[in-house]
Amino acid sequence: MLLAIDCGNTNTVFSIWDGEKFLCTLRTSTHHSRTADAYFTWFSTLISHYGITADITDVVISSTVPRVVWNLRVFADRFFDCRPLVVGKPECMLPVMPRVDEGTRPGPDRLANAAAAWDRHGGNIVVVDFGTATNFDVVAEDGAYVGGVIAPGINLSLEALHQGAAALPHVDISRPEKVIGTDTVGCIQSGVFWGYSGLISGLIEKIKTEYGQPMKVVATGGLAPLFEQAETGFDTIEDDLTMHGLVVIHKYNKDAGTL
């Protein structure tokens, strides 16, 4: 079985792929100091709790936090006796190479999103990924990642607002009943929800106009369903998009004989 690991700035996601479907998806907070032993204790406890028997033979990793990769490599080697495939490293082949400025290294999560979008939808895609940052990934007709947009993430913006303005409370993200807030919490929620809705829909339209061809919009990440309520232009929401991309990339390398 394949263990796919997507390490982001805030959370790290582990998914077990049995060759046909994901058996489970587990999440933990990202800490660069977490050891391989700590990962295994957490992982084995949870899959035991869910009654999953997983014979892990392969591991693929995407990480936007370089300091975490070493301990994840040790985790794979020590407990599953395998050398993990790390997306973004020179030895990791991609179904289609990105076409970006020379010297630019797209994030491995964006490469995984591109691979997944192309595999499922065939290209000419905008992927909107709600994470610590809100990423817009543009996938060409042939499956190449060709660029995109990085905007501050919603939770990051809320935290900055709370820390930078002593009188403003921290609030949860939700769709307010009215645009014009009548209390402080309502005002903040409106600014965040409707402000980001405008940012998302506006950027999607500008990307489509500049790209010059019809494009499908695929959203992923925990906040995607919330912003679908604002009619931001999503064609579909796929929670497992990044993990599916890791499976696609791993299979490509397996079939190419590099693993």
Side-chain angles (χ1 to χ4, degrees):
M1 292 186 186
L2 172 66
L3 176 60
I5 305 174
D6 177 34
C7 177
N9 290 289
T10 304
N11 294 313
T12 301
V13 182
F14 292 67
S15 291
I16 300 173
W17 175 258
D18 70 355
E20 296 182 357
K21 63 184 182 300
F22 289 112
L23 297 180
C24 69
T25 296
L26 313 173
R27 288 175 171 80
T28 185
S29 56
T30 299
H31 293 291
H32 70 269
S33 59
R34 181 170 287 148
T35 64
D37 292 348
Y39 277 119
F40 183 73
T41 300
W42 167 83
F43 177 79
S44 58
T45 300
L46 275 183
I47 63 171
S48 176
H49 172 77
Y50 288 116
I52 297 171
T53 302
D55 181 19
I56 304 297
T57 57
D58 296 271
V59 178
V60 58
I61 299 170
S62 162
S63 178
T64 58
V65 187
R67 296 175 69 185
V68 174
V69 175
W70 168 255
N71 284 325
L72 290 174
R73 282 183 179 272
V74 174
F75 166 71
D77 178 65
R78 180 177 297 169
F79 298 105
F80 305 121
D81 193 27
C82 70
R83 184 171 183 265
L85 177 69
V86 181
V87 179
K89 296 296 184 182
E91 63 271 19
C92 178
M93 299 171 59
L94 298 172
V96 184
M97 293 301 293
R99 291 194 296 274
V100 292
D101 291 345
E102 186 176 353
T104 299
R105 298 179 62 184
D109 54 334
R110 310 185 84 170
L111 297 175
N113 285 343
W118 187 46
D119 183 68
R120 286 180 170 173
H121 304 288
N124 288 340
I125 304 291
V126 182
V127 177
V128 185
D129 189 351
F130 292 89
T132 305
T134 301
N135 291 335
F136 298 73
D137 304 322
V138 179
V139 185
E141 186 174 7
D142 66 349
Y145 168 82
V146 294
V149 177
I150 301 175
I154 293 95
N155 283 306
L156 191 65
S157 296
L158 271 174
E159 189 63 30
L161 183 65
H162 173 60
Q163 292 182 358
L168 297 181
H170 183 82
V171 302
D172 293 329
I173 303 169
S174 64
R175 176 176 177 165
E177 295 182 3
K178 302 180 296 183
V179 175
I180 301 174
T182 54
D183 59 17
T184 303
V185 171
C187 291
I188 296 173
Q189 287 179 332
S190 183
V192 171
F193 182 82
W194 294 113
Y196 266 90
S197 298
L199 179 147
I200 294 163
S201 58
L203 282 173
I204 289 172
E205 286 307 310
K206 287 184 178 296
I207 288 170
K208 287 181 174 181
T209 298
E210 186 173 297
Y211 193 75
Q213 297 183 46
M215 305 182 79
K216 188 170 186 176
V217 181
V218 180
T220 189
L223 291 175
L226 174 64
F227 284 93
E228 185 182 30
Q229 301 174 29
E231 299 180 358
T232 41
F234 303 155
D235 292 300
T236 183
I237 295 176
E238 300 177 4
D239 291 339
D240 65 345
L241 189 73
T242 307
M243 307 311 288
H244 179 70
L246 293 180
V247 172
V248 169
I249 292 172
H250 181 269
K251 183 179 184 303
Y252 183 78
N253 281 265
K254 198 87 168 179
D255 291 346
T258 61
L259 295 176

